[in-house]
Amino acid sequence: MLAGRRILLIISGSVAAFKALELTRLLRRDGAAVTAILTAAGARFVTREALAAITGSRVHDDLWAAEAEIGHIRLARLPELVVVAPASADILAKMAHGLADDLASTVLLATRAPILVAPAMNPAMWEHPATQANMSALRMRGVRVVGPNEGAMAEPESGPGRLAEPAEIQAMVHALLAEEAPLAGRHAIVTSGPTHEPIDPVRYIANRSSGKQGHAIAAALHALGARVTLVSGPVALPDPPGVTVRHVETAREMLAACEAALPADIAVMAAAVADWRVAREATQKLKKEAGAAPPALSMALNPDILASIAAHPVQRPALVVGFAAETEKVVEHATAKRIRKGCDWIVANDVSGDVMGGDANRVQLITEDGVEDWPRMPKEEVARHLALRIATRFAP
Ligand code: C5P
């Protein structure tokens, strides 16, 4: 089943383009949401009306119109898989060389989603060294290929060039999405960034957390197919594409946003939540009166989001992961914290160096089975490792 999976289908010019309608029907029957882009040549073989009817949504065919309405970058970011079927010799050449002169080629250049191509063309064009060189370049870049098959073609010529059957392409889509998305169907809540605790309407207490690690974890879980809700304190980072982001300021808002996002299978609490807030936030800006003593701030304890979610009476996620930023006795303190907070795993890191705000991290993962020492690596890599480790935990 492909329930809710987002597929972008690009139809280029070939007499086999009518088979794209059957492919769309099969994918939609499996539950996938299919968006279509029709190239100018593709529009000579299928009508945008037929395609709109069968996809159940608007067909995109104009780079500039798309710019005004949905935007080619959004079109490129939305799908979990891009399928080019049929893929003409021309569009394969554009892909191999990075050309971007219409909507389809621009989206193909801008997308980070995996790409599946189903070539269809005259056998002489398929066998031409130029096409074969383009295919090698595309394969080397990770583009996946289905077909072409040998068999009867529109022209009185035989040889490879016939578009793969819709059922074959459908099977390949299933295989690719399963391979790419071990966390499909899972919901993950990730907290990230600092919290801001107000003193008065213009001043607040904060910390040096950049949100880089938490945001990278949200993106990595999404890349493995999870539905992700990122609850972020104030950061200078863009929202990761494809992730639902709830922007909050204070610890209490962060807890409320996490609770509102439940139920979830996974919770990764990477935010640097302020332990205390100012007990009574001033409603007006505190004034600096000449000769008066500086104001004394009385503090109150913030809720512990990790501990609250880990102890949730009815909606505790199956896997709760905390972070422990320590400056000494890292493993010892983190191990104790795992028990105290009631989480399943804890990612311990030594923040005595340049970790906070920096791009690299060296961590230990503490699980129910012991301590894993990971080498120093970029925060994106830590995120990818953690996401893969989580995927293993949820493997059937
Ligand atoms: O106790 P400490 O702040 O070192 O614990 C760190 C872990 O607890 C992190 O996962 C952090 O996101 C989480 N935490 C929380 N709410 C707090 C304090 C910490 O969720 N109020």
Side-chain angles (χ1 to χ4, degrees):
M1 274 296 125
L2 299 174
R5 308 305 297 276
R6 299 180 307 278
I7 297 170
L8 177 67
L9 176 63
I10 296 181
I11 299 163
S12 63
S14 153
V15 276
F18 71 93
K19 287 193 195 170
L21 298 177
E22 172 62 5
L23 172 63
T24 306
R25 199 184 63 74
L26 293 175
L27 295 175
R28 286 202 71 203
R29 198 190 58 190
D30 292 341
V34 182
T35 308
I37 293 181
L38 191 57
T39 68
R44 299 205 164 241
F45 299 95
V46 288
T47 65
R48 65 198 311 252
E49 287 74 20
L51 203 50
I54 211 152
T55 55
S57 62
R58 212 182 140 271
V59 172
H60 304 277
D61 55 5
D62 182 346
L63 178 56
W64 306 108
E67 190 55 50
E69 288 168 34
I70 172 165
H72 62 271
I73 297 299
R74 250 197 91 211
L75 264 177
R77 279 183 181 165
L78 279 175
E80 295 166 80
L81 178 69
V82 180
V83 181
V84 190
S88 65
D90 178 66
I91 202 156
L92 292 168
K94 279 183 182 162
M95 287 170 73
H97 294 278
L99 297 188
D101 62 353
D102 64 1
L103 182 61
S105 52
T106 304
V107 167
L108 282 163
L109 194 60
T111 193
R112 292 201 177 95
I115 301 174
L116 171 66
V117 297
M121 66 197 73
N122 159 286
M125 289 169 81
W126 173 251
E127 281 165 356
H128 194 285
T131 304
Q132 288 305 310
N134 290 337
M135 291 310 298
S136 308
L138 293 174
R139 281 200 184 91
M140 254 168 48
R141 268 180 237 147
V143 170
R144 308 296 284 265
V145 186
V146 53
N149 296 343
E150 294 211 20
M153 311 249 309
E155 294 140 78
E157 216 173 316
S158 63
R162 184 183 154 92
L163 179 68
E165 290 307 317
E168 274 177 83
I169 305 174
Q170 176 198 23
M172 191 73 170
V173 167
H174 276 262
L176 286 182
L177 282 175
E179 180 183 308
E180 299 284 338
L183 288 175
R186 307 282 179 189
H187 179 213
I189 300 174
V190 179
T191 66
S192 181
T195 61
H196 283 183
E197 307 297 334
I199 297 169
D200 67 17
V202 297
R203 302 181 179 96
Y204 57 83
I205 295 173
N207 61 64
R208 292 188 198 282
S209 168
S210 65
K212 281 180 190 163
Q213 187 63 80
H215 276 55
I217 290 166
L221 289 168
H222 168 68
L224 296 188
R227 179 167 72 82
V228 180
T229 305
L230 172 63
V231 181
S232 174
V235 293
L237 300 172
D239 290 352
V243 166
T244 303
V245 187
R246 304 272 175 250
H247 294 277
V248 298
E249 296 218 338
T250 67
R252 286 187 292 179
E253 288 167 6
M254 190 172 271
L255 174 61
C258 288
E259 286 175 340
L262 289 170
D265 305 281
I266 303 152
V268 182
M269 301 300 178
V273 185
D275 290 315
W276 305 284
R277 66 178 179 277
V278 177
R280 257 180 306 282
E281 177 189 345
T283 51
Q284 303 297 329
K285 183 182 171 196
L286 297 176
K287 302 303 271 180
K288 183 175 58 177
E289 310 287 1
L297 290 181
S298 149
M299 309 292 273
L301 196 60
N302 262 336
D304 191 309
I305 302 166
L306 173 61
S308 308
I309 297 294
H312 199 285
V314 279
Q315 291 186 310
R316 185 195 193 274
L319 181 67
V320 179
V321 185
F323 271 70
E326 307 289 345
T327 53
E328 55 163 2
K329 297 188 192 151
V330 177
V331 171
E332 194 181 316
H333 285 155
T335 307
K337 196 168 285 179
R338 186 178 87 82
I339 306 297
R340 196 169 63 241
K341 301 241 184 186
C343 53
D344 304 292
W345 296 357
I346 205 148
V347 182
N349 59 347
D350 186 341
V351 289
S352 53
D354 56 357
V355 165
M356 276 200 139
D359 291 322
N361 211 349
R362 180 159 185 274
V363 307
Q364 275 107 357
L365 179 68
I366 300 169
T367 70
E368 21 325 47
D369 300 326
V371 181
E372 294 173 22
D373 213 341
W374 294 3
R376 184 182 162 91
M377 49 189 147
K379 287 180 175 171
E380 282 78 16
E381 275 298 295
V382 171
R384 223 169 57 81
H385 272 70
L386 184 64
L388 286 169
R389 198 62 184 65
I390 291 173
T392 322
R393 159 80 177 242
F394 281 91

